[in-house]
Amino acid sequence: MYSFEPSEEQKMLIDAINRYAVNDLRRKAHDADEEYGYPKEVIDKGWELGVLQASIPETYGGFGEHSVLTGVLAAEEMAYGDFAGTLAVLTPALFALPILACGSEEQKQSYLPPIAEGEWQPFTAACIEPYFDFDLLEMRTTAEQKNGSYLLRGEKTYVPFANEASKMIVYANLEGKTQGFIVERDAPGITIGERQKTMGINALPIYKVSLQDVLVPAEQRLGGPEGHDPTPILASMHLAMAAMAVGVSRAAFEYSRDYAKEREVFGVKVAQKQAIAFMLAEMATEIEAIRLLTWEAAWMVDNQKAEASKQAYLAYIGAMDMAMMVTDRAVQILGGHGYIREHPVELWMRNGRGFAVLTGLGMI
Amino acid sequence: MIEFEMPKPIAQQSYVLQTVAENMMRPVSRYFDEHEHEIPWDYINFMHMAMKATGAGSLAPPEEKKKEGEEAEKKEKRPPIGYQMLAFMLEMLSWGDVGIYLCTPGGGLGAAAVEAAGTPEQKQKFLARFREEKPVFAAMAMTEPHCGSDTSAIRTTAVLDKNTNEWVLNGEKIFVTAGQKSLEESNGFVVVWATIDPSAGRAGMRSFVVEAGTPGVKVTKLEHKLGIRASDTASIVLQDARVPFENILGSPEIQPDTSKGFKGAMATFDATRPLVSATGVGVARATLELVKELLAKQGIEIRYGHPRSKLTNIEREIIDMEVMLRSAWLLVIKAVWMADNRKPNPLEASMAKLRAGDIVTKITQRALELMGPIGYSRDYLLEKWFRDAKITDIYEGTGQINRLVVARNILGYSGRELR
């Protein structure tokens, strides 16, 4: 059957996240952007919503089952509040979800309970690399087998909370295949660089991480010595970005719509001009279309459908374009005011471009 | 719960219809494109027989069941999927050939209008004919020579003759899809939009069932078109055409300050727009599949999962087309799902329509560019689909009208507030 109605449980979760997104994230997003970070209690409050904890089964300290679809709904709603804030709240998922999806039984038992049962802690992952053609499927960071261990070499960038994190997953190219490795932040050979500044996610502390012959024991390879299939991780990364792109776009659409209904031009509201009304109609349609594409891909992942990872990629590609189009138009609709940092649309436009480059910073 | 599992009856139907599309439509696609105004009777007769046997695709109410009790109760528990079945059917047949699909007997937009606005008696009276021995057609006549999208400006009049209790219709309608087949080639009908009070504006708009054989009704012209050439597009003149009082759809009373009649027309669109969108999606899918097949023949493989900057232009184009196609189709499915579940869907219906019109024109146009001399040649159907596609963005509300509908919905504006 087809159905487009979230379950009662999902609706309750969305409601709770919506309140947090609107009352906490959105309210503080401007200052967090200008001041390079959220107050700890905002992150803690987001963590207490239990989005990640509800994805982890009881056996590993959580209280639910992992559903990518629920994750997509949650990520969209939180990013409706603020993109960088959502990435910050969900940073521990970058470490926990790959272990849950691909880790060995030992890895799950040893790493998941402290995360699921504890407060927000900066467990993280090093994925993105500083090259224009960075590709999740063909990484330049390499893993080389040596005496039953692995040697990691390469440069990573945009690693959230790398300075505080005790552990991270490092993705590397092992004989042409992307593989995850569970690495101690203090392992010899790891250098955490200066905090990085970007165009649009100032509220998320991100760092360069350099890996010089970092020795990782075979049992710290994600999935154990045999490794893992990277597909579910990539699908989760693509869908996290797609869902957050929908959330940010929704925010930008609603704000510019409401503004257009208030602002007067030539004796009428600016929204009464077809030039503006049609832009809004196209934004709404685009958001709805890509939202459904994202939902379907997430449903396909949950139900192990054959083309799920391809569909997740398509949703991501669609979402990247949608977010840029919608956030750009939101600024355009506010005109000169859109360019002023007092209104949030310019931040959303800076976020909007991010979806094309930040895959790997979120997982659901 | 959010679900995307194709219901079994739809999967079975699609399997059968694909065979029809491949064997009865594609082989004659080019012939009927090049022989405009010839009627594809083989397809029509086959479909009539098949639909009669299976009940598929019919908007006619099911024959009244004598037995009541358990069986009926059991059936009610299943979520309704009638409109979903129809959308999938139209998508697949249009994947075969959208021009020939438009010749499918069974009522089309005319029956949809009766279904949306008719009383149970009217449905029984007008829709039963689709189950008869011979194929029957029905059409909707809205557009007039001086007005298209501005439907409330129609001039065709309907005046009640109180002596005979008949409506007398006068006016000219153009661009009536399947008008000729409905009035001259079968025992069908045309749902004609007219005003019962020209001074009342939208409040005076009503639709009337005008049956084949009604004196004073004449098909005066068949258009020559860019595409969908197998489908007849007729002009109809109504000259003192008399129809029985009970052929009016909706109330004969004019309630001042309401536009119920007009809203009746618009409610029909909520049901039909997603279905027309489905036909566009069918053409888009046919195009994309053929392009991929031609590329595969030359050994070109599409790689997924990589950043755009590492893809070839062809890969980027194909991936973008896949995004457009699937997302548009999901909007259609959501709109018909809402219709099935009796949720008001004017916003979703217009979103689906504007998106489908956009993507089918984009996909067919880009496909021709990508395929170069092969795409432009009549050796393949790509150039035909390019021509067929364009109508999706025009009929059943142009892309601009649907933008207007979406805009009014999201802004909470009336027609007066957003013109």
Side-chain angles (χ1 to χ4, degrees):
Chain A
M1 286 295 147
Y2 291 102
S3 172
F4 299 87
E5 189 91 13
S7 69
E8 287 310 313
E9 234 171 291
Q10 286 167 338
K11 281 183 194 164
M12 275 160 57
L13 179 68
I14 293 170
D15 277 354
I17 295 174
N18 179 271
R19 281 193 295 276
Y20 169 72
V22 172
N23 298 332
D24 297 282
L25 286 183
R26 180 81 62 85
R27 205 166 275 172
K28 298 186 178 75
H30 173 268
D31 290 352
D33 182 61
E34 305 270 332
E35 289 156 19
Y36 295 94
Y38 274 96
K40 180 76 166 51
E41 57 271 20
V42 176
I43 305 294
D44 286 340
K45 197 171 172 189
W47 177 251
E48 280 156 22
L49 290 164
V51 174
L52 177 63
Q53 298 92 315
S55 299
I56 298 175
E58 269 177 53
T59 346
Y60 308 119
F63 55 86
E65 284 298 324
H66 186 219
S67 154
V68 175
L69 182 58
T70 305
V72 156
L73 297 172
E76 175 192 322
E77 205 56 42
M78 207 183 284
Y80 173 74
D82 180 49
F83 178 43
T86 305
L87 293 175
V89 170
L90 295 180
T91 291
L94 297 177
F95 185 81
L97 289 181
I99 291 176
L100 180 65
C102 307
S104 66
E105 191 53 39
E106 291 79 18
Q107 289 168 348
K108 289 183 199 177
Q109 281 180 4
S110 75
Y111 295 114
L112 294 180
I115 298 173
E117 288 161 2
E119 315 221 305
W120 183 93
Q121 296 162 80
F123 291 95
T124 188
C127 179
I128 301 175
E129 300 175 347
Y131 311 103
F132 85 90
D133 56 351
F134 164 68
D135 188 342
L136 290 162
L137 296 168
E138 292 166 5
M139 292 194 171
R140 283 192 173 78
T141 299
T142 55
E144 189 192 316
Q145 221 164 353
K146 198 176 179 187
N147 308 328
S149 293
Y150 293 92
L151 273 182
L152 305 186
R153 291 191 194 101
E155 297 297 325
K156 292 289 180 182
T157 189
Y158 294 180
V159 184
F161 297 99
N163 64 326
E164 298 173 54
S166 59
K167 290 179 181 61
M168 64 180 90
I169 289 179
V170 175
Y171 293 98
N173 186 330
L174 177 65
E175 290 156 4
K177 195 174 166 189
T178 298
Q179 289 289 289
F181 296 86
I182 302 167
V183 179
E184 299 287 330
R185 206 273 316 265
D186 295 332
I190 289 190
T191 317
I192 308 293
E194 289 288 293
R195 178 162 175 184
Q196 289 177 279
K197 291 182 178 174
T198 64
M199 180 173 79
I201 47 166
N202 294 334
L204 181 75
I206 49 174
Y207 298 85
K208 280 195 179 182
V209 173
S210 153
L211 303 128
Q212 282 165 319
D213 294 330
V214 178
L215 194 69
V216 182
E219 60 269 20
Q220 292 301 92
R221 181 178 172 187
L222 189 58
E226 298 305 311
H228 65 98
D229 173 9
T231 348
I233 294 177
L234 302 191
S236 164
M237 288 174 171
H238 282 139
L239 287 174
M241 280 302 124
M244 291 182 208
V246 172
V248 169
S249 301
R250 256 178 59 206
F253 161 71
E254 288 178 15
Y255 193 91
S256 54
R257 177 199 60 194
D258 295 347
Y259 181 89
K261 287 186 76 174
E262 286 297 318
R263 176 87 179 171
E264 301 253 356
V265 284
F266 308 112
V268 294
K269 303 293 181 192
V270 69
Q272 289 178 277
K273 297 283 180 194
Q274 283 193 354
I276 301 299
F278 280 19
M279 282 167 78
L280 288 163
E282 287 166 3
M283 290 155 78
T285 305
E286 192 72 29
I287 294 169
E288 180 68 4
I290 298 303
R291 189 184 204 205
L292 296 180
L293 197 61
T294 306
W295 286 10
E296 183 186 44
W299 177 88
M300 286 172 79
V301 173
D302 282 343
N303 289 277
Q304 285 144 21
K305 297 288 172 185
E307 301 228 291
S309 59
K310 174 186 155 188
Q311 206 74 7
Y313 172 70
L314 292 182
Y316 165 67
I317 291 287
M320 166 208 303
D321 289 348
M322 177 266 300
M324 194 66 258
M325 180 270 231
V326 171
T327 56
D328 172 75
R329 286 183 175 196
V331 170
Q332 189 68 22
I333 288 170
L334 268 75
H337 295 278
Y339 205 72
I340 308 291
R341 296 216 297 275
E342 269 167 38
H343 287 285
V345 286
E346 63 79 30
L347 169 61
W348 290 326
M349 184 178 166
R350 289 185 280 124
N351 289 162
R353 183 70 289 171
F355 296 107
V357 284
L358 299 176
T359 312
L361 276 201
M363 282 190 74
I364 40 99
Chain B
M1 202 158 86
I2 296 167
E3 271 187 275
F4 291 90
E5 188 81 59
M6 185 191 285
K8 273 216 179 89
I10 292 181
Q12 286 160 354
Q13 173 190 266
S14 295
Y15 179 78
V16 174
L17 289 174
Q18 187 174 340
T19 317
V20 174
E22 281 170 349
N23 296 304
M24 303 206 64
M25 303 177 97
R26 288 285 179 92
V28 294
S29 256
R30 182 56 74 188
Y31 178 88
F32 284 102
D33 183 55
E34 293 184 344
H35 294 78
E36 196 163 16
H37 302 157
E38 267 189 45
I39 300 175
W41 283 113
D42 285 350
Y43 166 79
I44 292 169
N45 289 323
F46 172 81
M47 283 305 283
H48 180 62
M49 197 186 66
M51 285 157 68
K52 226 167 77 107
T54 61
S58 175
L59 282 171
E63 310 230 12
E64 271 179 50
K65 276 188 186 136
K66 300 273 144 62
K67 287 179 203 164
E68 291 202 354
E70 293 155 288
E71 213 181 314
E73 260 174 45
K74 254 188 192 171
K75 261 201 161 170
E76 242 161 67
K77 274 184 190 163
R78 256 187 237 158
I81 56 167
Y83 278 115
Q84 293 168 61
M85 292 281 285
L86 215 49
F88 274 88
M89 175 180 174
L90 270 50
E91 194 270 351
M92 185 60 88
L93 291 175
S94 304
W95 175 86
D97 185 296
V98 67
I100 297 175
Y101 145 70
L102 286 163
C103 299
T104 310
L109 299 183
V114 174
E115 179 70 26
T119 63
E121 294 74 32
Q122 285 174 325
K123 288 182 194 175
Q124 209 58 46
K125 179 177 172 195
F126 297 120
L127 302 180
R129 68 192 67 203
F130 299 111
R131 294 190 299 269
E132 283 171 9
E133 216 42 52
K134 283 188 175 167
V136 178
F137 300 85
M140 169 114 106
M142 176 72 91
T143 300
E144 297 184 5
H146 74 285
C147 77
S149 295
D150 183 10
T151 48
S152 60
I154 55 169
R155 289 178 191 152
T156 298
T157 55
V159 178
L160 185 62
D161 181 342
K162 284 186 177 147
N163 296 323
T164 60
N165 208 24
E166 286 172 320
W167 295 100
V168 183
L169 277 74
N170 278 289
E172 186 184 357
K173 293 289 179 182
I174 63 166
F175 297 172
V176 182
T177 299
Q180 184 205 20
K181 286 191 285 293
S182 301
L183 293 175
E184 294 185 343
E185 299 287 342
S186 75
N187 177 33
F189 62 80
V190 175
V191 172
V192 174
W193 284 88
T195 172
I196 54 174
D197 180 357
S199 68
R202 285 176 176 175
M205 278 182 72
R206 291 294 183 282
S207 55
F208 298 85
V209 179
V210 177
E211 294 178 281
T214 304
V217 180
K218 208 176 160 193
V219 175
T220 53
K221 186 184 176 191
L222 296 178
E223 302 287 352
H224 296 85
K225 304 190 295 295
L226 173 66
I228 56 164
R229 292 182 181 169
S231 163
D232 79 77
T233 302
S235 298
I236 297 171
V237 169
L238 302 131
Q239 210 162 18
D240 290 332
R242 292 174 166 267
V243 301
F245 177 80
E246 58 273 16
N247 283 25
I248 187 171
L249 297 174
S251 162
E253 305 296 326
I254 293 182
Q255 292 136 323
D257 300 327
T258 71
S259 48
K260 252 195 173 172
F262 182 75
K263 281 189 178 146
M266 298 303 118
T268 311
F269 286 136
D270 296 345
T272 55
R273 278 183 177 146
L275 298 177
V276 173
S277 311
T279 67
V281 171
V283 176
R285 181 166 66 90
T287 303
L288 182 52
E289 283 177 8
L290 181 54
V291 168
K292 284 170 86 172
E293 196 184 306
L294 292 170
L295 289 173
K297 263 190 200 156
Q298 290 203 10
I300 295 171
E301 199 191 318
I302 309 299
R303 298 166 303 158
Y304 298 92
H306 298 280
R308 274 226 183 100
S309 54
K310 283 177 84 173
L311 300 175
T312 64
N313 180 55
I314 286 180
E315 287 171 328
R316 291 178 67 149
E317 289 275 346
I318 297 293
I319 285 167
D320 285 352
M321 289 186 198
E322 290 192 44
V323 170
M324 288 190 251
L325 177 68
R326 191 68 199 171
S327 59
W329 184 225
L330 290 171
L331 285 181
V332 175
I333 297 177
K334 184 174 177 188
V336 287
W337 170 80
M338 292 178 79
D340 275 332
N341 290 283
R342 305 276 170 220
K343 293 173 194 276
N345 69 342
L347 173 64
E348 288 76 8
S350 279
M351 278 184 167
K353 178 62 171 56
L354 88 81
R355 181 91 171 170
D358 275 357
I359 66 107
V360 70
T361 47
K362 263 188 210 149
I363 288 175
T364 53
Q365 288 166 13
R366 286 162 83 165
L368 254 73
E369 187 202 333
L370 271 188
M371 294 292 100
I374 288 174
Y376 206 67
S377 158
R378 288 208 208 169
D379 289 346
Y380 292 91
L381 289 168
L382 290 169
E383 66 80 29
K384 179 185 178 295
W385 292 335
F386 169 103
R387 290 181 288 112
D388 288 346
K390 185 60 196 166
I391 193 61
T392 319
D393 205 20
I394 299 172
Y395 63 7
E396 212 62 10
T398 61
Q400 288 63 42
I401 286 297
N402 281 296
R403 277 166 175 77
L404 202 53
V405 174
V406 170
R408 284 176 187 157
N409 271 282
I410 57 176
L411 291 162
Y413 280 164
S414 64
R416 197 168 298 153
E417 288 166 309
L418 180 60
R419 290 180 183 270

